[in-house]
Each structure stands twice: as C-alpha cells, then as structure tokens.
Amino acid sequence: MEKTRDISKNAQERFSARETGKLYIRTFRLLWRHYPKYLLSTAFCKGSQTASPYITLYFSARFLDELAGARRPEMLTRWVILLLAVSALFSLLALILYRWEKVEEHSFNMLHTKEIYGKKLLEIDFEKMDDPATLDLLNQIEQSNDHMGNGMNTYIIHLEQLFRAIFQIGGGILLSYSLFTRPVAEQYQGSIGLKLGMIGAAAVILLTVLFRPFFSRRERADILAYSEHGKAANRHYWQYGVGLYDKTESALDMRIYRQDIYGDEELKVFSINEIERREMLFLRIQGFCRAGDAVLSHMMTGFIYLYVCLKAWFGAFGVGSVTQYVGAVNSIANGAAAVLNVVEEAKTNAFFLQRIFQFLEIPNEMYRGSLTVEKRNDRDYEVEFQDVGFCYPNASEYALRHVNMKFKVGKRLAVVGQNGSGKTTFIKLLCRLYDPTEGKILLNGIDIRKYDYQEYLSVFSVVFQDFRLLSLGLGQNVAAGAGYDAGLVRDCLEKAGLSEWLRKRPAGLETKLYKDLYSEEGVEISGGEEQKIAIARSMYRNAPFVILDEPTAALDPVSEYEIYTRFNDIITDCTAIYISHRLSSCRFCDEIAVFHQGSVIEQGTHQALLKKGGKYSELWNAQAQYYI
Ligand code: ADP
C-alpha cells in the first residue's frame, strides 16, 4: 500500500507534482480495471473532436496558397472537393465516436459509485463498516464529488482535457513542423533584427503559456475554500430543506411541533446568507481569473501572428500557410497551457483522490479460510462456543465473557436477557460478523475461521431486528432473487401467516412492495407485514440454522406468540435460535439461555428455570404481571 497522508489535513493543501502524478496514475489504473471502454471511447472521441479543425486548416491553406499563387482552376476545385469530402467523413466519424463515448459515459456515471464504493462496502470486514469513521469517509468522498465535483468528476474532466491537449499538441506539431524548418529568403538570413524579433516573439509566447496556469491555480484555491463551506451548507440543506418535509414517518411530528419554522431559521442563518456572501466573493475572483486568462490567451495569439508573419514577410512561405501555421502554433501553445493547467488543478484534486484510495484500501483483517462446508442431507451441523469472550473495538469492557454453549442439532434454543446483556453480540459472533477476542467457535469441530466465509454464511438463515426489504415484487423479496419457485414462495408466505393478505392482492407474487418506485401499483405494508415477509424469506432460504433476532418487535405479543409457535411447527428439522425480550414467546423452546452482563448465567427448560427461582423467574414474573 502507498504511504497515505493524514486525512485531517486541510483540503486546500496542494500535493507535490510527483505525489499528484502517482495518484493520477493509480486512479487511471482503477478506472481501466472497471471501465476500459469508457476511457478508450473518451480518448478517441476527444481525439476526433480536436483533430477536425486541422483538416480545415490544412486544406484551406492549400486552397489559399493556390489562390495567391498559380491560381489553377482544376487545383482549386480539387482542394475544395477534398476539403469537403474529408471534413464530411471526419465529422461522421467524430459523431459515431461521440455516441460511443456518451453511452459509455452514461453507464460510468450510473454505476461507478455502486460498482467501486458499494462493492468495497460489501467486502469490507463488518468491524470496519461498523466503525462510523468508515461511513463518514465515504460520505465525505461522495459529498465532495456531488457538490463541486472534487475527486472523481474532476479527474474525468482532467483526463478529457489531457486527451484533448495531447491531440492538440500532436496535430499542431504535425502542421507546424515546416514552419521551423523553412528558412527566410536568402537576403534576410543574416539579419540580426529579424532574428531578435523572432526570438522575442517566441519568448513572449513561452512566458504567456507558463503564466496562464497562475489564474486557474488562483481560481481553484477559491473553489476549494468555497466547496468546503458549501459541503456543510449542503448537509444543512438536506436536513432542513427538502429533507424536513419528505418523510411520511415524521410528518405528524413536524405538523404538531412546526419543525419547519425553526428548521427554516437554522437554514437561513447557517447556509443561505453565508452561501450568498461566499458565492459573490467566489464569482468576483472567478471573473478576475477568467478575464486574466483571456487577456493572456489573446496576447499569446498576437505574438504567434507576429512570429509567423515575420517569417512569411521575409519570404519563408506563402500567404496560405500563414493561417495554417498560426492555427497550428496556437494549438500547441493552448495544448501546453492546458497540460500545465491540469497539473496545477490536479495538485489540489489529489487530496480528494487520496481520500478515495484511503477508503478503497481499508484492509480486511479478518482471516478468511477456504474450507468448504460439508453439504449434509441430515442437517447434522453442530455449533459450539468454547469459552468465547468478545470486546468491541475501542470499547473498554467485554460485551461477552466465558460463553460456553453447544447447539443441539434440531433443537430450539431461546436466548433471553435484558437489553445490553449481549444477545445480539452473541448472534454477530455466530454469523461471523466479528471474530471472538477470546476462545473459539466451532462448526462440526472445526474453527469457523477456517471455512470460506460465504460457505459458512450459507448455513444460516437470519431475521435480524433491522432487516431490509426492497422495492421489488413480493416473490423476488421472499426468494431474494429475480427468478423464484412460486409454489415455494407461496408456501413460505402461508407459513409466515400471510396467505389471507396475499389472497387480497390481485397481482399475487408480482405485487410490488412500497410506493417509492411504483407509485401506482406499489403497496405500502405495515411493520408487522414486513416482518412476516422477512420471516418467509428466511424460510425460503432453507438453511440448517435459523435465527430470529427479535424480528417481531413491531408485533403485539399475541401476534409474536403466534409467529413463534408457527415457526416452531414449520422448521422441524432445523436448529433454531430465538432471541426475544418477551419471555412468553420462548417458553416452548427446548432450552433457554439467560444472558446477563455478557455471560450465560442460567440454562435449562422453561419449567426448570422457573423452579430454580433465579434471574429467569425474576424476569418472567416481572413480565407476567403485564399480561395477566
Ligand atoms: P442485547 O442484544 O442483549 O441488547 P448487545 O449484544 O446489543 O445486547 O450489547 C451488549 C453490550 O455491547 C452492550 O453493553 C452494548 O452497549 C455493547 N455494544 C453493542 N454494540 C456495540 C458496538 N458496535 N460497539 C461498542 N459496544 C457495543
């Protein structure tokens, strides 16, 4: 991995040319890996767009030379026909390339955040994803890009400018080569005045080229200062602008407490006034910089005319070539200025690219083995916790300590305990979202770290508290895929208690969930219905281990009890783990483990634990009084 800079450094800091170059090459490699066709199409398209003026330039010069010289009608006609034919062909080619580039650009714009950043998030160790700093980093990357294009968007613009500049310089050299080799007429060759004039003009051209990036550097510095503020303003806007109004779940809160009124105040004070002030300042500086650059650019063209005309005047070539040479040298000078410009701008954009790599290079530290999980028809998968302890990263206390447990195949285990007692942490370790700090977890006698991660996960079906359904068809949601076995989906929905609900949907399994994407045909579903669909999804997966981590929190106690007992009847050959803070839902389990302050303090059947008169019976009695 490359040495990374401290990200807390100021975004307005400029990187050295070497560091910038390295980052730009790394970004190119990254894009080449994912979008080679986009890069190629851009290069060809910019090339064709840049090269087309040279055709006019070249043929017009021949035409003018002929007009000012021999004036042969057949030659004049030939040059005109050639000019028209080559220009037409080239325009056609440029348009085809343009279309190709637009298609590739569209898929790049649509997909690159998902395919590059999203994929990284999916592959990253859960521990790293759980760290707020990771998501904040990604947030910063996306905000910088969305707000002023800093990072990837600016990189793409720079790449386009570089492609264009390369073609400009290349084409310019081709067309102006003879300008430098053709000598002036013999009688002027010794003239010191002429030589000095030409050297002077060339020196001014060079100086203007070198000085032009000063303006873009000044403008860029201001863009960064403005964008850092703008980003914060943007967040405020999303919070108190549209973001305040477009959430149905909090609409009532807003109407009762009139959050719009004090939200508006915040928005005005923080961003609108300040943004206006800064924008005015920024526009003033931008105007100054652009005017400065325009003056230099015209001055440069003036001196190019002077240089070329001096040579023409003193007999080096005919009048027709003047336009060709002026155009060609202008394009070399503009191309060189553009390269220097990109280099200047890139030195500040490097900070944002650095941030992208900082995110993409977050290392995965969890050991991932390669063992496959044996496929067993008898579902004889045995999991054992051996003296497992776990402390969250950056936490001072252990969330779990000395947990020893063996899941008996085909049995139901209930995990109960008060909030914060370690139940969810226990499931996170079982599903290998984290690895234990102490002890180990075994699947059929082998440390779970040795298994291929995806293979290991395939053993589990989990319904978490915070599950997520997608705005897709009902059948696709249950099957977690585009193609599905309709009979099995119906069966699972029925078992989850949704057969009546399904009967009322004319579109059946094709019913679209939610209205956000499907305003006409989509159906809004209640929290309870969502949970039943999530439960049906876990059944469809048909894994040997089923875990319900308080998925029924949105249900009333009666519905929860119904689901748990129904679940119990269905998954006869699975090993099931139920987590619930409502003890009544778990009493049918073969075994109940009581968690308290990160340890399993009691274990046994409902009856045995009640009889024991310990923590379980204390919790049971405390809850029972609300149900009686
Ligand atoms: P339960 O599911 O029983 O409510 P948890 O397993 O969620 O309990 O939490 C156990 C302990 O671990 C609690 O003290 C909780 O504050 C802590 N904890 C949970 N998640 C994290 C986390 N991501 N980082 C640090 N501590 C955590």
Side-chain angles (χ1 to χ4, degrees), residues 130 392 399 418-425 428:
D130 211 19
Y392 279 100
Q418 286 165 300
N419 281 343
S421 58
K423 304 184 296 292
T424 301
T425 307
K428 283 182 185 165

Side-chain angles (χ1 to χ4, degrees), residues 63-174:
F63 181 77
L64 283 175
D65 269 341
E66 189 63 34
L67 208 58
R71 302 174 73 170
R72 291 161 294 180
E74 74 284 0
M75 284 306 280
L76 283 169
T77 322
R78 203 173 94 188
W79 285 124
V80 171
I81 291 173
L82 263 174
L83 170 64
L84 292 177
V86 178
S87 291
L89 269 176
F90 211 83
S91 298
L92 188 67
L93 178 72
L95 280 172
I96 292 170
L97 290 171
Y98 176 76
R99 208 193 65 160
W100 181 32
E101 190 210 16
K102 286 295 144 203
V103 172
E104 296 298 334
E105 182 184 70
H106 183 70
S107 76
F108 169 77
N109 286 341
M110 291 283 290
L111 296 175
H112 82 273
T113 46
K114 176 177 173 284
E115 288 178 348
I116 298 179
Y117 307 142
K119 196 156 175 277
K120 174 71 186 173
L121 276 183
L122 201 62
E123 287 169 354
I124 210 168
D125 281 351
F126 183 78
E127 175 188 328
K128 300 279 168 51
M129 179 159 178
D130 211 19
D131 181 353
T134 305
L135 292 184
D136 187 55
L137 183 58
L138 182 59
N139 203 321
Q140 298 274 350
I141 292 169
E142 290 186 330
Q143 287 219 1
S144 300
N145 201 47
D146 288 351
H147 187 239
M148 299 284 280
N150 288 317
M152 199 54 99
N153 275 7
T154 302
Y155 179 83
I156 294 288
I157 292 171
H158 285 168
L159 210 56
E160 289 174 359
Q161 286 173 345
L162 280 180
F163 284 144
R164 234 183 253 127
I166 290 168
F167 283 100
Q168 266 180 323
I169 296 172
I173 290 175
L174 271 181

Side-chain angles (χ1 to χ4, degrees), residues 270-524:
F270 181 81
S271 54
I272 301 293
N273 300 347
E274 183 60 12
I275 264 202
E276 260 174 28
R277 193 185 71 74
R278 284 185 184 242
E279 195 159 320
M280 283 303 143
L281 188 68
F282 167 65
L283 288 175
R284 216 175 304 149
I285 291 174
Q286 192 184 47
F288 163 76
C289 289
R290 302 224 165 149
D293 187 61
V295 168
L296 281 190
S297 150
H298 284 99
M299 206 170 111
M300 187 184 81
T301 311
F303 277 88
I304 291 172
Y305 263 105
L306 180 66
Y307 181 88
V308 175
C309 288
L310 273 177
K311 274 198 113 167
W313 186 268
F314 291 101
F317 38 77
V319 65
S321 302
V322 170
T323 45
Q324 175 182 325
Y325 290 144
V326 168
V329 178
N330 220 346
S331 119
I332 296 175
N334 277 325
V339 171
L340 293 177
N341 235 357
V342 167
V343 172
E344 282 308 318
E345 289 192 11
K347 285 181 188 169
T348 45
N349 194 45
F351 171 84
F352 299 95
L353 294 180
Q354 169 85 24
R355 205 149 56 175
I356 292 176
F357 286 109
Q358 193 142 4
F359 170 72
L360 293 179
E361 286 169 1
I362 293 175
N364 275 351
E365 278 153 9
M366 263 173 111
Y367 176 75
R368 289 169 193 230
S370 54
L371 276 187
T372 50
V373 175
E374 191 190 355
K375 303 275 175 286
R376 302 185 63 116
N377 289 335
D378 58 3
R379 299 190 161 219
D380 200 354
Y381 294 98
E382 195 175 73
V383 173
E384 184 179 358
F385 275 57
Q386 278 185 352
D387 199 27
V388 169
F390 180 69
C391 184
Y392 279 100
N394 307 323
S396 53
E397 287 185 19
Y398 271 69
L400 282 186
R401 208 75 205 258
H402 304 302
V403 175
N404 286 291
M405 203 178 286
K406 204 173 200 169
F407 303 126
K408 296 181 188 114
V409 179
K411 299 284 180 197
R412 283 106 189 77
L413 170 77
V415 174
V416 302
Q418 286 165 300
N419 281 343
S421 58
K423 304 184 296 292
T424 301
T425 307
F426 173 73
I427 298 301
K428 283 182 185 165
L429 293 183
L430 179 61
C431 295
R432 238 203 128 192
L433 293 182
Y434 289 97
D435 277 336
T437 319
E438 294 170 348
K440 51 186 168 179
I441 305 171
L442 309 174
L443 171 69
N444 290 350
I446 296 171
D447 191 327
I448 60 172
R449 280 177 278 216
K450 295 192 177 149
Y451 289 107
D452 173 88
Y453 188 55
Q454 287 304 326
E455 283 260 335
Y456 177 70
L457 284 188
S458 69
V459 175
F460 297 98
S461 239
V462 193
V463 187
F464 285 112
Q465 291 174 36
D466 306 312
F467 57 84
R468 182 167 173 193
L469 301 176
L470 300 181
S471 302
L472 288 170
L474 175 64
Q476 287 163 313
N477 266 290
V478 173
Y484 54 84
D485 175 341
L488 190 55
V489 170
R490 265 177 220 288
D491 200 33
C492 294
L493 285 168
E494 190 181 326
K495 286 173 181 164
L498 280 173
S499 45
E500 195 53 37
W501 182 85
L502 183 60
R503 243 191 302 282
K504 290 189 199 139
R505 309 285 142 208
L509 298 182
E510 292 299 310
T511 305
K512 301 279 189 264
L513 301 191
Y514 309 114
K515 285 193 172 291
D516 51 355
L517 285 189
Y518 307 99
S519 53
E520 295 277 307
E521 46 184 326
V523 294
E524 282 304 342

